[in-house]
Amino acid sequence: MDATEIPLKAPPTMTSDVRANDVEHVERALIDASTRVPVLMFYTSAIVWLLLGTLVAGLVSWKMHAPDWLANCSWLTWGRVRPAHTNIMVYGWGCMVGMGTAIWLMARLCRTTLRHPLLLVAGAALWNLGVLLGVGSVLAGESTGYQWLEFPPYAALVLFIAYTIIMSWAVLMFRFRRGDQIYITQWYLLGAFLWFPWMFAAAHVMLFITPVQGVMQSAVNWWFANNLMFLWFGAIGLGTAYYMIPKVIGRPVYSYHLAAIGFWTYALFASWTGMQRLVDAPFPAWMITASIAAAILSIIPVATVAVNHHMTMRGYFSLMRYSPTLRFTVFGAFSYTVFSLFGVFISLRSIARYLQFTQASVAYSHMGLYAFYTMIMFGSMYYIVPRIVGREWRSSSLIKTHFWMSAYGIGLMSMMLIAGAMFEGTALNDPTKEFVQSVYAIQPFIVGRSVSGILLTIAHFVFAYHFVLMLLGLGRTSTLPTFLNPVSAEGSEDGH
Amino acid sequence: MKGFVPLVLGIFGMLAFSWTGLTLVPSMQIGHIDPQMDEDGNDAYPAPRSGMAERGRRVYVSNGCVYCHSQQIRPDYLASDVDRKWGQRRSAPRDYLFDRPVLLGKMRMGPDLSNVGKRAPVEDENAPASNGPAAASPAPQGNIANANTQPAPPAGKPPAPAAAPSPPAASSPAAPANVAKSNSQSSQPATSTAPPAAVANAAPAAASPSASPAAAQPANPAVAAATSADTSQGDAGPPPYSAVWHHQHLYAPRSVTQDSNMPAFRFLYSKRRIEGEPAADALKISGDAAAPSGYEIVPTYDAQCLVAYLMSLDQSHPLKEVKSDTPVSPPAPAKAVK
């Protein structure tokens, strides 16, 4: 396709040429303006947590091959910085950026301005406080010992109250929505908003208030962790992709029916996974088998979503050359397929006997939370931020740096961990080899993982710098969005 | 899609289905099991851990040991955990009755710890074994420290039924037990030198002997394997998986296993100036990690609890619902039921 034929139009932002009779544009501008403060609050906090989590991740990764580095300080011991890293990324970065994007999408799709935005700001502040409290107590040695639920109950309570404030406002937008049609993105977002409090509360009740006995705690723990991945992060990520891809290329979703099938099978099958992370653990075999079956069946939603996105994109793939949003979103949507298939692969019993206790599960988490979810979130931020600050991204080369560093970083990290896990798992499962052989096997790959982490660190700092420029109002004033590769000379070069 | 209500109902229904299926139903199935007992109501397994071991679990959790060490043995026909001598049978839900939080683990950057307490040497037996007659004098010291730091007997092993009262009498029965069980040692000279040494610096003299006969009783096939598995254990270190060994390993992992990538947990130990006699439980570490002269390194209470917890990890007790690979102490009932 010739670049000049591409229907790249100026997005209807406030800065675009708004005519008095163009009601839609005015309406959108009003909606965007009403979401400005809370969404920027969520985004800013998320990026601060992202940078912090990235630095802590550096500690975690480096200490694995330099175990004596900073080891003599109790709150910097590996076993504390690791849960600090995962929880910062999950609750600090992932939840906050997801809620920011979701609020904006909800307002746009319900075609209603956000009422009482300051309450959302208060919710965001409280959420920040909860994460800060939780991370602090994990570093102080107060971790609960359940993965992704390490925050002690008091910090979790703060998070829950904050969440209630935030969610009620997001769901209330439905009351004021205009139009009968509920768009695909709204299904996913509504699902995420209703699922999260349930699983968060259920997990805490079953682990801390009326604790279940023995190994059932692990079942509850993994049920929660997996559903947090799929029904919270996954639902927000997929919902966002269903908005961004059609929006950017200016063409409706290929098939509504396919999307409906995808949504309901996703809710059904993805929610039943979880126990496949505990293959051959001390549980009744049916539990694990059910989860493995659910993981395999979740290929159905994966396939429908992939086909739907692919058919929507067909003929427009070359737009990825220009639109940062599209590039990040398509990368994320594609990673969703890879992530899910890898999840099926490692849950098969014959594979799990090798990979069960290796770095493969770390690779899996990163593919889900980063390659899929975070990349889509980056994409949505590249779309949303210009619309709410009224400026365009300043520099296409900063965006390109961000994209390639992130893409290569996460790609390298996944490959390092998966390849390393193969060697590690083979050594682990061979009883004639000493245990330490499995450590030797993974060691070079762990070093490689640290290198990939450097790429991600650069990406995140570049992005944060760019975001701060936007916050300070230093973005470009232009009628054209910032393209990665300028279509025409005028208006899209740097240096305005 | 139209209609807000069907959408919300569907959304709730889906998660309700999975919540019921994966947490409530299994909870009915395995969430209310009792410890196993024999016909007379004795020999309950598992038993709640001692207070120190429970506190040690907190230390284990707060320092994130679970992110590298699993505590689950997979069945022998599915994985090599049993072949690795990490346990004699697969783990079962009943093994974790009193565990809160339960620490199954998802990662093995370090070895599985389900039975690390079981791998501990039978108290006095291994002291001569790993040291030989030449190094006889440090051995009893180590043993005293051993008994010191581990006041609570591990849950699996019942306390001494009737401890022999006098120290010399107590340490000598350990020697025959030695000869009977492991043939790769010459324990006779060691025992002849050990009792005087033990008496000489026997501050807590009562603790040491009372532990020894009890511990000498259960056969311990895992010990031999574990000892041989640990390669770097050639010279005069403490016997592997003993309390002294755990302390040394926690304080300076690479002084025990050369290529370990376990972080050192020095913040669980305190370095202090020796005043008068060196403390009985001071760590004996040479090389880089050694304390400067005039100083000694002693475990804090947290470290003692952590080691007590590690020593209490033992899933060797046969369970009716699990096939045991090798019969352990009372073999008859386990075999019969399978």
Side-chain angles (χ1 to χ4, degrees):
Chain A
M1 179 186 268
D2 184 15
T4 51
E5 295 170 18
I6 295 165
L8 285 175
K9 296 186 298 275
T13 57
M14 304 192 311
T15 52
S16 61
D17 187 15
V18 177
R19 290 183 302 277
N21 60 352
D22 199 339
V23 181
E24 282 226 333
H25 280 193
V26 175
E27 180 188 289
R28 283 188 193 147
L30 281 175
I31 294 172
D32 287 347
S34 74
T35 59
R36 177 186 300 143
V37 177
V39 171
L40 282 182
M41 167 87 177
F42 275 101
Y43 279 176
T44 313
S45 326
I47 288 179
V48 171
W49 287 118
L50 176 69
L51 295 184
L52 201 64
T54 309
L55 294 177
V56 177
L59 273 179
V60 176
S61 187
W62 220 264
K63 276 162 160 288
M64 285 198 81
H65 44 84
D68 280 328
W69 184 51
L70 298 178
N72 294 341
C73 178
S74 68
W75 54 276
L76 283 179
T77 191
W78 190 84
R80 294 191 192 179
V81 288
R82 185 196 187 277
H85 159 67
T86 54
N87 282 287
I88 288 175
M89 286 313 196
V90 166
Y91 295 102
W93 157 250
C95 288
M96 295 217 75
V97 70
M99 290 191 285
T101 296
I103 288 165
W104 186 86
L105 288 176
M106 270 295 188
R108 269 289 188 98
L109 288 167
C110 294
R111 293 172 61 200
T112 171
T113 50
L114 194 63
R115 287 159 179 81
H116 307 293
L118 284 181
L119 266 165
L120 276 173
V121 173
L126 203 57
W127 184 277
N128 275 328
L129 178 74
V131 178
L132 195 65
L133 210 60
V135 172
S137 25
V138 166
L139 289 178
E142 295 284 308
S143 159
T144 64
Y146 301 107
Q147 300 226 25
W148 289 18
L149 286 168
E150 279 95 346
F151 287 174
Y154 52 85
L157 186 68
V158 176
L159 288 185
F160 195 79
I161 295 170
Y163 182 81
T164 315
I165 298 172
I166 297 163
M167 182 202 71
S168 16
W169 251 249
V171 174
L172 264 184
M173 278 192 267
F174 263 91
R175 239 195 91 203
F176 302 105
R177 78 182 186 280
R178 294 197 280 131
D180 275 344
Q181 196 72 4
I182 303 180
Y183 183 64
I184 308 166
T185 301
Q186 287 166 295
W187 315 340
Y188 280 100
L189 293 184
L190 193 65
F193 279 140
L194 296 177
W195 282 321
F196 179 82
W198 185 341
M199 55 205 189
F200 195 70
H204 279 91
V205 168
M206 295 175 92
L207 292 177
F208 303 113
I209 297 173
T210 54
V212 287
Q213 191 189 35
V215 286
M216 276 311 296
Q217 296 162 41
S218 246
V220 171
N221 188 183
W222 283 105
W223 172 82
F224 169 80
N226 237 60
N227 277 327
L228 190 71
M229 178 61 235
F230 284 107
L231 294 191
W232 173 243
F233 293 126
I236 294 179
L238 288 178
T240 310
Y242 264 119
Y243 182 87
M244 291 301 167
I245 292 178
K247 193 80 180 170
V248 171
I249 64 176
R251 167 185 211 204
V253 163
Y254 171 71
S255 162
Y256 241 62
H257 283 292
L258 214 51
I261 294 171
F263 176 72
W264 290 113
T265 50
Y266 183 74
L268 179 62
F269 297 134
S271 65
W272 265 81
T273 58
M275 295 300 296
Q276 91 281 10
R277 308 291 295 275
L278 291 164
V279 175
D280 300 331
F283 290 96
W286 70 263
M287 292 171 72
I288 292 158
T289 309
S291 274
I292 297 175
I296 295 171
L297 284 170
S298 69
I299 292 179
I300 297 171
V302 171
T304 53
V305 170
V307 167
N308 219 351
H309 284 328
H310 183 86
M311 296 305 281
T312 311
M313 281 290 289
R314 204 162 67 148
Y316 289 82
F317 277 102
S318 51
L319 282 186
M320 287 170 68
R321 251 174 72 76
Y322 305 98
S323 162
T325 302
L326 199 62
R327 194 183 276 193
F328 275 96
T329 309
V330 170
F331 184 97
F334 179 70
S335 303
Y336 166 64
T337 307
V338 177
F339 157 71
S340 303
L341 294 180
F342 182 65
V344 173
F345 175 73
I346 58 172
S347 62
L348 300 174
R349 280 204 159 87
S350 45
I351 307 290
R353 67 183 285 187
Y354 293 102
L355 296 186
Q356 173 77 340
F357 294 103
T358 64
Q359 296 288 330
S361 57
V362 178
Y364 179 68
S365 304
H366 281 93
M367 286 163 85
L369 266 182
Y370 197 97
F372 161 42
Y373 176 74
T374 296
M375 290 300 261
I376 289 185
M377 285 300 118
F378 283 145
S380 74
M381 289 169 93
Y382 278 117
Y383 188 85
I384 294 170
V385 173
R387 280 161 180 78
I388 53 182
V389 302
R391 290 281 198 296
E392 293 301 328
W393 292 98
R394 189 168 180 82
S395 149
S396 63
S397 49
L398 284 181
I399 304 179
K400 274 191 254 182
T401 315
H402 176 201
F403 177 79
W404 289 114
M405 287 290 173
S406 280
Y408 277 121
I410 191 62
L412 186 66
M413 177 179 289
S414 309
M415 284 194 302
M416 280 294 162
L417 290 177
I418 293 170
M422 305 259 176
F423 290 104
E424 185 192 9
T426 316
L428 259 181
N429 212 39
D430 180 354
T432 59
K433 286 189 176 161
E434 284 172 45
F435 176 80
V436 75
Q437 295 291 335
S438 72
V439 180
Y440 293 148
I442 192 76
Q443 207 68 14
F445 297 96
I446 295 283
V447 177
R449 193 262 296 265
S450 289
V451 174
S452 74
I454 295 173
L455 297 183
L456 292 180
T457 312
I458 296 172
H460 298 161
F461 275 89
V462 165
F463 178 57
Y465 168 70
H466 210 173
F467 181 78
V468 168
L469 289 186
M470 292 291 275
L471 270 192
L472 298 177
L474 295 176
R476 296 183 307 112
T477 44
S478 164
T479 54
L480 271 179
T482 305
F483 298 133
L484 296 173
N485 298 293
V487 185
S488 53
E490 36 99 13
S492 40
E493 291 292 345
D494 307 348
H496 273 256
Chain B
M1 189 182 301
K2 293 194 176 178
F4 181 65
V5 176
L7 181 62
V8 170
L9 285 182
I11 283 170
F12 268 110
M14 289 300 173
L15 192 66
F17 183 40
S18 121
W19 184 50
T20 313
L22 283 183
T23 69
L24 295 185
V25 172
S27 221
M28 276 152 46
Q29 188 182 358
I30 56 168
H32 302 279
I33 37 183
D34 296 319
Q36 169 182 293
M37 297 184 194
D38 61 14
E39 290 83 5
D40 313 327
N42 296 321
D43 191 24
Y45 173 82
R49 288 175 216 279
S50 73
M52 261 185 107
E54 272 305 323
R55 190 188 153 112
R57 182 209 300 284
R58 275 302 322 158
V59 181
Y60 187 96
V61 166
S62 69
N63 292 302
C65 307
V66 68
Y67 301 111
C68 283
H69 294 280
S70 62
Q71 288 184 23
Q72 48 171 314
I73 303 295
R74 293 176 290 174
D76 52 357
Y77 51 88
L78 284 171
S80 64
D81 299 0
V82 174
D83 293 337
R84 262 193 191 285
K85 312 281 184 226
W86 279 340
Q88 288 150 353
R89 60 166 175 83
R90 68 169 295 176
S91 305
R94 206 185 294 273
D95 288 318
Y96 304 90
L97 277 195
F98 297 104
D99 288 9
R100 194 165 158 249
V102 72
L103 298 162
L104 291 180
K106 186 73 190 77
M107 183 63 71
R108 282 180 180 161
M109 284 305 286
D112 187 271
L113 297 180
S114 323
N115 286 293
V116 72
K118 177 70 184 170
R119 264 174 265 164
V122 173
E123 299 295 330
D124 274 3
E125 170 189 340
N126 270 52
S130 62
N131 286 303
S137 70
Q141 265 187 349
N143 280 329
I144 288 169
N146 205 338
N148 243 349
T149 50
Q150 190 207 349
K157 298 173 194 162
S166 71
S171 50
S172 46
N178 249 343
V179 180
K181 259 170 265 140
S182 53
N183 40 18
S184 66
Q185 55 180 329
S186 56
S187 52
Q188 231 38 18
T191 19
S192 60
T193 54
V199 176
N201 45 23
S208 170
S210 69
S212 58
Q217 260 155 30
N220 197 346
V223 171
T227 315
S228 65
D230 204 283
T231 46
S232 55
Q233 207 50 57
D235 45 344
Y241 305 106
S242 63
V244 181
W245 181 90
H246 277 306
H247 280 302
Q248 183 174 339
H249 188 237
L250 285 167
Y251 185 79
R254 277 155 291 287
S255 77
V256 175
T257 309
Q258 201 182 356
D259 292 310
S260 161
N261 64 351
M262 178 173 131
F265 292 92
R266 300 203 176 167
F267 53 86
L268 291 176
Y269 295 81
S270 54
K271 190 192 286 182
R272 67 181 187 205
R273 189 183 285 281
I274 300 178
E275 283 163 13
E277 285 292 291
D281 57 354
L283 268 59
K284 291 165 192 63
I285 293 180
S286 51
D288 298 341
S293 65
Y295 285 84
E296 62 184 357
I297 295 156
V298 289
T300 60
Y301 186 58
D302 274 349
Q304 292 174 8
C305 290
L306 178 58
V307 170
Y309 171 66
L310 292 174
M311 303 288 280
S312 78
L313 292 173
D314 182 356
Q315 295 183 351
S316 62
H317 194 287
L319 283 180
K320 290 194 200 88
E321 63 267 32
V322 178
K323 177 176 101 44
S324 275
D325 201 32
T326 13
V328 209
S329 19
K335 273 266 174 154
V337 180
K338 209 150 224 194

